[in-house]
Amino acid sequence: MTHLIIQLLNAIVSLGYLGVALALAIEIIPSELVLAYGGFMVSLGHLNFSFTVIAAIIGMTVAQLILYYIGYYGGRPFLNKYGKYFLIHNKHIDITEQWFKRYGAGVVFFARFVPVLRQAISIPAGIAKMSIQTFLLFTILATIPWAIIFVYLGEKLGQNWNKIKDVTGPYMHIILLVVLLLVIIYISIKIIKKRSLKP
């Protein structure tokens, strides 16, 4: 953990819940670290757990809305030129676009639990002009457990909040396996429905 990141987190979270939301909306620092640090502030009594989670959900949702509208209004030409500044490369867009076209809106939920793809999936959703209501629903549903888990762990770790990745690392594989299983079930249901509609 670099001294610069800790200084940034101190400065941002000193703004309280607004700082938590802003940090996650612009996401210059990985969300796991921001949430864990927010949890640390909860453990010190500077923030309330529930309000921190709500601020986190708002911030992460705003971040995804920005990417959604970049896809909606800018499309591929914008991403080809400026995508690198969002740390999103063409290969990530290619993967998520294929997923989105093949498996539909539900992918927006499942991709939230996969590193890198959780940001990238919002862009093809925007390009495809996905309903904003559906997009927000799936985004918020996936964001809620993510925020609760990392704020909770940050609170429990206390001063060791910066070891969040060491603590969650082994469990991320389990989460990915669960998500993969859910994706398989979701895809199977989609295939069965398509076949049932055929004459």
Side-chain angles (χ1 to χ4, degrees):
M1 182 71 60
T2 67
H3 185 61
L4 177 61
I5 289 177
I6 293 173
Q7 282 187 319
L8 278 172
L9 285 169
N10 273 322
I12 293 167
V13 180
S14 68
L15 298 173
Y17 306 113
L18 176 62
V20 172
L22 285 173
L24 291 164
I26 57 177
E27 204 167 341
I28 56 172
I29 301 171
S31 63
E32 298 93 324
L33 294 180
V34 176
L35 293 169
Y37 188 78
F40 173 47
M41 291 294 104
V42 171
S43 73
L44 295 177
H46 298 322
L47 296 175
N48 170 273
F49 180 87
S50 298
F51 290 148
T52 302
V53 168
I54 291 168
I57 292 166
I58 292 170
M60 287 189 283
T61 302
V62 168
Q64 298 311 315
L65 274 173
I66 291 169
L67 294 173
Y68 171 88
Y69 281 115
I70 285 172
Y72 193 98
Y73 292 110
R76 272 283 189 171
F78 180 91
L79 294 170
N80 290 336
K81 194 171 183 180
Y82 301 108
K84 60 185 177 182
Y85 298 111
F86 297 92
L87 303 179
I88 296 173
H89 303 287
N90 282 335
K91 63 180 180 181
H92 302 137
I93 302 302
D94 290 338
I95 293 169
T96 53
E97 201 166 27
Q98 287 170 14
W99 281 23
F100 189 83
K101 285 179 179 177
R102 188 174 298 175
Y103 307 122
V107 165
V108 171
F109 174 84
F110 298 118
R112 296 291 177 214
F113 300 95
V114 182
V116 180
L117 297 186
R118 66 172 173 258
Q119 285 85 22
I121 193 63
S122 298
I123 295 173
I127 292 172
K129 304 295 189 288
M130 178 182 178
S131 160
I132 188 64
Q133 291 85 358
T134 305
F135 175 80
L136 283 173
L137 175 65
F138 283 123
T139 298
I140 292 170
L141 285 176
T143 299
I144 290 170
W146 190 264
I148 291 172
I149 289 168
F150 281 94
V151 172
Y152 174 79
L153 289 174
E155 181 184 8
K156 293 303 175 186
L157 286 169
Q159 292 186 345
N160 294 315
W161 66 271
N162 57 345
K163 301 193 184 298
I164 188 71
K165 290 193 175 181
D166 296 332
V167 172
T168 58
Y171 298 102
M172 290 308 293
H173 298 296
I174 297 171
I175 291 170
L176 288 175
L177 285 172
V178 171
V179 171
L180 179 61
L181 178 61
L182 291 173
V183 168
I184 292 169
I185 293 169
Y186 174 76
I187 291 169
S188 300
I189 292 170
K190 293 280 286 185
I191 291 170
I192 291 167
K193 281 186 177 179
K194 280 184 181 179
R195 286 180 178 174
S196 65
L197 290 174
K198 288 181 180 179

